[in-house]
Amino acid sequence: MDFTALVQTLLSAPPDQKATLINRFNSGFDSLIGLQFLWVDALRVEACCNVSDAHLQAYGLVHGGVYASMGESVCSVGAAISVMSENSTAVGIENQTQFLKAMRVGGRITATAQPISKHRNRRRWKAELIDETGDLCATCTVTLAILPSGHTVAGQPIGFQR
């Protein structure tokens, strides 16, 4: 599927099918940590990750970077989906993550993100990350720059990398 077809499909698909499509094309860091999208639309994104040894820091607890990364991913996907119809994309420029409860191997982290502010060239989204019992483990607020199609970052146009 070429990029234009992918965008058209993402714009017209219902939220659960958007999640399935994003999972099918999932690569890079999201794939590395095992992030699976469950629901994707312009007002809410939900994804989960089963905690394994690969997610731990030296004390056997989930590394704070896992929470920050999951928050960044769900917020970025939501913001990107919300501006696709404007022929734009979103990239994170600030991530503030607060750690509230430790987790260990065997748990499941679910991140749910929603928009909290919208400006012409910026968006702000907030994610809540909960464990399998529903306890809040972390919150993550991400500020995203809205970039027009064809905009270059680090010398290359913004777009899906596979």
Side-chain angles (χ1 to χ4, degrees):
M1 178 180 297
D2 70 13
F3 180 72
T4 303
L6 177 61
V7 169
Q8 290 306 314
T9 302
L10 284 170
L11 286 173
S12 62
D16 59 330
Q17 290 178 8
K18 281 182 177 78
T20 299
L21 189 59
I22 289 171
N23 289 331
R24 187 169 43 165
F25 285 92
N26 203 358
S27 63
F29 196 73
D30 287 347
S31 179
L32 182 67
I33 66 170
L35 191 64
Q36 290 293 302
F37 288 87
L38 306 170
W39 184 270
V40 175
D41 68 26
L43 296 176
R44 182 171 68 93
V45 175
E46 186 174 325
C48 66
C49 175
N50 294 317
V51 178
S52 72
D53 288 333
H55 298 107
L56 304 181
Q57 41 91 311
Y59 295 123
L61 304 172
V62 171
H63 191 287
V66 174
Y67 298 117
S69 298
M70 288 180 69
E72 176 95 18
S73 291
V74 293
C75 291
S76 294
V77 166
I81 291 291
S82 74
V83 298
M84 268 186 184
S85 64
E86 302 166 17
N87 204 22
S88 296
T89 193
V91 295
I93 58 173
E94 181 182 34
N95 180 327
Q96 296 177 354
T97 302
Q98 181 180 22
F99 311 115
L100 304 169
K101 180 185 175 191
M103 289 183 68
R104 295 190 181 268
V105 167
R108 179 181 172 111
I109 305 168
T110 301
T112 304
Q114 296 180 309
I116 56 175
S117 69
K118 177 181 176 179
H119 303 284
R120 185 180 60 78
N121 61 355
R122 297 278 190 270
R123 299 292 189 276
R124 184 165 254 200
W125 279 61
K126 183 172 184 177
E128 291 188 341
L129 293 89
I130 62 170
D131 66 13
E132 66 281 356
T133 67
D135 287 344
L136 187 62
C137 297
T139 61
C140 184
T141 303
V142 178
T143 303
L144 304 110
I146 306 306
L147 304 175
S149 177
H151 188 88
T152 59
V153 173
Q156 295 186 10
I158 289 290
F160 291 110
Q161 303 292 310
R162 255 198 144 245

